Amino acid sequence: MNRLTAKLNLAILILLLLVCSLSGQIINKTAIAAATVIKGKVWIKTGLQPRHLLKPGQQIFPNDTVFTSDSGYAEITFLHGKRIIKLQSKSELIFQIKKDRKDLLPRIMMKIGKIWMKITGSPADTEIDTPNAVVSVKGTEFLLIFDPETGTWLSVLNGVVELSNDLGKVLVSREQQSRVENGKSPTPPESIRAERIIEMWHSKRQDSSKIQIRDALLQKLIEKFGLADSLKDCVFDNVKIRGGDR
């Protein structure tokens, strides 16, 4: 009887392993997004296969890597939920999914670059991992920049986004921004004009995160020395000074 029980348990274990393996294969073969707009050169890489150019309408599967050239641009629409992600030049993303009870939710690994994400309709959980932070999204619109030198910079146009790492977390709301430097916790959210967020997105400069750092320091110095009113509406290198009435 004991031998029969052992064989039965072994058979059940093998069956469970087969089910899990087949389930994983099905998930990996299920498209999660599709390219809707492509400008310039944008590549896609699947596993160990050579990279090839991504074309409009082409589907994206779990563990696919999408990266843009120096002049490349892509818009990618997720097939489930109203999620659109835009990639500027020199950006690299790995598309993944995570299981959450009944749903398979998008999870994105951001290696480098600048992205804009918009989620409309009912709230939908999405995670974006950069090398030094995690962005947890529930229905919103935001700009995310990662640079190996300056770290992660999150600017929220609408909604609320959680920015976290092992050292802490913050909630970043509408027209706020926060930054995660390497080895540090997220900074407290600070105000940023919606127009400035849009300007940063459209900027072709590759050091846009460094420009944001400069702008924030400039604004702090002006406020510290009480120069906001006298310099109201002045512009320094495309940086508009906020007056004291804000």
Side-chain angles (χ1 to χ4, degrees):
M1 180 65 70
N2 291 335
R3 185 176 297 177
L4 180 61
T5 301
K7 289 183 177 180
L8 181 60
N9 290 336
L10 179 60
I12 293 174
L13 178 60
I14 293 173
L15 181 61
L16 288 173
L17 290 173
L18 287 173
V19 170
C20 291
S21 176
L22 289 173
S23 175
Q25 292 179 20
I26 292 172
I27 291 174
N28 287 334
K29 292 181 179 180
T30 302
I32 57 176
T36 48
V37 177
I38 299 292
K39 297 178 182 178
K41 289 185 177 181
V42 180
W43 294 281
I44 185 170
K45 189 177 186 299
T46 302
L48 299 176
Q49 298 179 12
R51 72 179 188 180
H52 59 273
L53 290 174
L54 182 64
K55 300 178 180 179
Q58 184 173 341
Q59 292 184 329
I60 297 170
F61 294 83
N63 299 318
D64 282 354
T65 301
V66 175
F67 44 104
T68 55
S69 66
D70 291 356
S71 58
Y73 170 85
E75 291 185 14
I76 294 171
T77 301
F78 289 87
L79 301 181
H80 302 286
K82 297 180 180 180
R83 306 177 181 92
I84 298 175
I85 191 165
K86 303 176 183 180
L87 291 76
Q88 285 285 25
S89 59
K90 292 186 177 181
S91 299
E92 181 177 348
L93 301 182
I94 301 175
F95 289 80
Q96 300 177 332
I97 53 177
K98 66 172 184 177
K99 294 182 180 179
D100 181 47
R101 297 179 182 178
K102 299 179 181 179
D103 299 323
L104 296 175
L105 303 175
R107 183 169 187 170
I108 301 166
M109 303 289 290
M110 183 177 181
K111 295 295 186 179
I112 195 170
K114 179 164 59 174
I115 65 172
W116 184 284
M117 190 165 191
K118 184 175 183 179
I119 302 175
T120 58
S122 59
D125 292 344
T126 302
E127 277 190 6
I128 303 176
D129 295 350
T130 71
N132 72 347
V134 177
V135 176
S136 301
V137 189
K138 292 187 177 182
T140 189
E141 188 171 7
F142 63 91
L143 166 66
L144 184 64
I145 300 172
F146 177 76
D147 180 276
E149 294 183 13
T150 59
T152 300
W153 199 295
L154 171 68
S155 302
V156 178
L157 186 65
N158 288 301
V160 179
V161 182
E162 181 182 280
L163 181 63
S164 66
N165 62 9
D166 293 338
L167 301 175
K169 65 180 180 180
V170 294
L171 288 177
V172 186
S173 301
R174 179 179 178 179
E175 294 190 27
Q176 288 186 336
Q177 62 181 359
S178 177
R179 177 188 174 207
V180 179
E181 295 182 75
N182 295 326
K184 297 183 179 181
S185 61
T187 61
E190 296 182 345
S191 297
I192 181 173
R193 294 179 295 113
E195 296 86 350
R196 184 60 182 150
I197 299 175
I198 296 171
E199 287 171 6
M200 293 301 301
W201 166 247
H202 289 292
S203 172
K204 298 300 182 183
R205 296 184 60 168
Q206 296 303 318
D207 59 348
S208 53
S209 58
K210 296 177 184 178
I211 296 173
Q212 279 190 290
I213 296 172
R214 180 206 63 185
D215 293 353
L217 290 173
L218 177 61
Q219 187 67 44
K220 284 183 177 179
L221 287 172
I222 290 171
E223 292 174 354
K224 180 178 180 180
F225 291 102
L227 300 176
D229 289 329
S230 59
L231 294 176
K232 182 180 178 181
D233 295 329
C234 289
V235 176
F236 297 95
D237 189 20
N238 295 324
V239 181
K240 186 175 181 180
I241 304 303
R242 296 196 303 265
D245 57 343
R246 179 176 172 82

